[in-house]
């Protein structure tokens, strides 16, 4: 079994750079919204038009927006921050500002629940998520023909063995058998610096975020990983012994303005 390597602390990050440099946030929110029936496209159109550049103007970065392929009334998105203090400043500026005052009521009217939020950080500097906001598609761009998966592994609170097995055992096999994951994230345990927006507490998760040309490519890759001798005989059984329950796989279709695709 791969040796235990402690999960790394926060890595230094680059601020949002209008010159087109990559952004590598140290804090990431994975947000899953349950919407009122039939209103997902309404929220996506509003979000992509009004809530992308205006959030980024406060110092955060909108990483990805998605339709959940398993639930027509679920909208999934991610945003990132340089650190927890910056998260508080950015969220206070945005949700206390004129854009949310004008458009927030319409957005909230589409939502049945917006409190399913995981607060995350990269498991290591090398496994963080890098994006270039300057390359974001224009407003009204068509949705790309791409498939994104987010596998959420849950472990008992206070235990790091599962995250280490994913980082040191599963991740190398993922890289050698197919496209490398875009990021591997784990629970950020710092207190929520903006309690106006709740996050899930008591969580210990590791999230593997990957992108493929289509779902068939993802299925082929997953089959190769399961059949690989290391994962079949050591890594996956080890993860199963550590996990609190089966992993949840989010099957996601990026919207037209998503940077993750």
């Amino acid at each position: 079994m791969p040796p235990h390597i402690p999960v790394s602390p926060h890595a230094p990050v680059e601020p949002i750079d209008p010159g087109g440099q990559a952004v590598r946030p140290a804090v990431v929110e994975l947000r899953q919204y349950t919407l009122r029936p039939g209103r997902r496209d309404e929220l996506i159109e509003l979000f992509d038009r009004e809530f992308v550049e205006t959030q980024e103007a406060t110092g955060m970065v909108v990483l990805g927006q998605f339709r959940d392929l398993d639930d027509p009334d679920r909208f999934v998105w991610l945003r990132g921050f340089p650190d927890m203090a910056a998260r508080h400043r950015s969220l206070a500026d945005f949700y206390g500002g004129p854009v949310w005052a004008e458009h927030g009521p319409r957005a909230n009217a589409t939502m049945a629940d917006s409190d399913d939020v995981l607060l995350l950080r990269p498991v290591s500097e090398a496994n963080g998520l890098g994006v270039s906001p300057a390359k974001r598609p224009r407003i009204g761009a068509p949705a790309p023909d791409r498939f994104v998966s987010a596998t959420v592994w849950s472990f008992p609170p206070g235990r790091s063995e599962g995250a280490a097995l994913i980082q040191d055992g599963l991740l190398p096999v993922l890289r050698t058998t197919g496209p490398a994951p875009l990021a591997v994230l784990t629970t950020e345990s710092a207190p929520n610096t903006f309690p106006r927006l709740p996050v899930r507490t008591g969580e210990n998760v590791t999230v593997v975020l990957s992108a493929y040309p289509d779902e068939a490519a993802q299925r082929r890759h997953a089959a190769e990983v399961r059949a690989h001798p290391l994962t079949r005989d050591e890594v996956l059984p080890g993860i199963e012994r550590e996990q609190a329950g089966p992993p949840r796989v989010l099957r996601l279709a990026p919207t037209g303005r998503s940077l993750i695709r």
Side-chain angles (χ1 to χ4, degrees), residues 180-233:
L182 300 176
V184 182
L185 309 169
T186 194
T187 296
E188 168 56 73
S189 58
N192 182 6
T193 52
F194 195 74
R196 175 178 166 185
L197 296 184
V199 301
R200 285 162 53 182
T201 59
E203 298 287 343
N204 180 19
V205 304
T206 298
V207 180
V208 179
L209 188 67
S210 303
Y212 298 89
D214 51 42
E215 189 171 8
Q218 185 272 336
R219 289 174 176 168
R220 289 193 297 270
H221 189 197
E224 288 185 51
V225 171
R226 289 192 298 268
H228 191 283
L230 179 61
T231 50
R232 182 192 63 215
D233 299 335

Side-chain angles (χ1 to χ4, degrees), residues 7-252:
V7 174
S8 301
H10 289 192
V13 297
E14 306 160 22
I16 295 176
D17 186 340
Q21 297 298 314
V23 178
R24 303 188 68 85
V27 176
V28 174
E29 293 176 353
L30 172 58
R31 311 185 66 87
Q32 301 180 61
Y33 291 176
T34 300
L35 306 182
R36 301 189 186 283
R39 303 193 69 176
R40 183 166 68 183
D41 285 348
E42 176 187 349
L43 177 61
I44 288 172
E45 188 276 333
L46 177 66
F47 190 104
D48 281 1
R49 187 184 73 241
E50 303 292 349
F51 297 149
V52 176
E53 285 82 0
T54 52
Q55 289 190 83
E56 293 182 341
T58 69
M60 65 183 97
V61 58
V62 177
L63 300 165
Q65 307 97 271
F66 309 95
R67 292 174 172 87
D68 187 324
L69 294 174
D70 292 312
D71 187 341
D73 298 316
R74 185 170 290 264
F75 173 63
V76 179
W77 66 291
L78 296 96
R79 64 183 167 191
F81 309 84
D83 52 47
M84 291 297 289
R87 176 178 179 269
H88 171 79
R89 292 192 298 270
S90 294
L91 295 179
D93 287 347
F94 179 74
Y95 289 102
V99 173
W100 187 251
E102 179 179 358
H103 299 289
R106 181 182 168 194
N108 283 335
T110 69
M111 302 176 196
D113 178 76
S114 61
D115 292 347
D116 188 347
V117 180
L118 290 171
L119 193 59
L120 306 167
R121 59 178 174 81
V123 297
S124 70
E125 183 175 1
N127 293 312
L129 185 62
V131 297
S132 297
K135 299 179 181 179
R136 187 187 306 278
R138 59 174 175 77
I139 294 173
D145 188 16
R146 297 280 294 174
F147 177 83
V148 172
S149 67
T151 304
V152 183
W153 305 81
S154 296
F155 302 103
R159 294 186 63 85
S160 60
E161 289 80 1
L165 281 165
I166 291 172
Q167 181 179 354
D168 306 324
L170 182 61
L171 184 54
V173 178
L174 288 169
R175 286 173 170 159
T176 58
T177 54
L182 300 176
V184 182
L185 309 169
T186 194
T187 296
E188 168 56 73
S189 58
N192 182 6
T193 52
F194 195 74
R196 175 178 166 185
L197 296 184
V199 301
R200 285 162 53 182
T201 59
E203 298 287 343
N204 180 19
V205 304
T206 298
V207 180
V208 179
L209 188 67
S210 303
Y212 298 89
D214 51 42
E215 189 171 8
Q218 185 272 336
R219 289 174 176 168
R220 289 193 297 270
H221 189 197
E224 288 185 51
V225 171
R226 289 192 298 268
H228 191 283
L230 179 61
T231 50
R232 182 192 63 215
D233 299 335
E234 296 185 30
V235 176
L236 290 178
I239 293 173
E240 289 172 3
R241 287 192 293 270
E242 293 293 332
Q243 65 190 11
R248 182 183 178 195
V249 180
L250 304 181
R251 301 168 55 251
L252 306 172

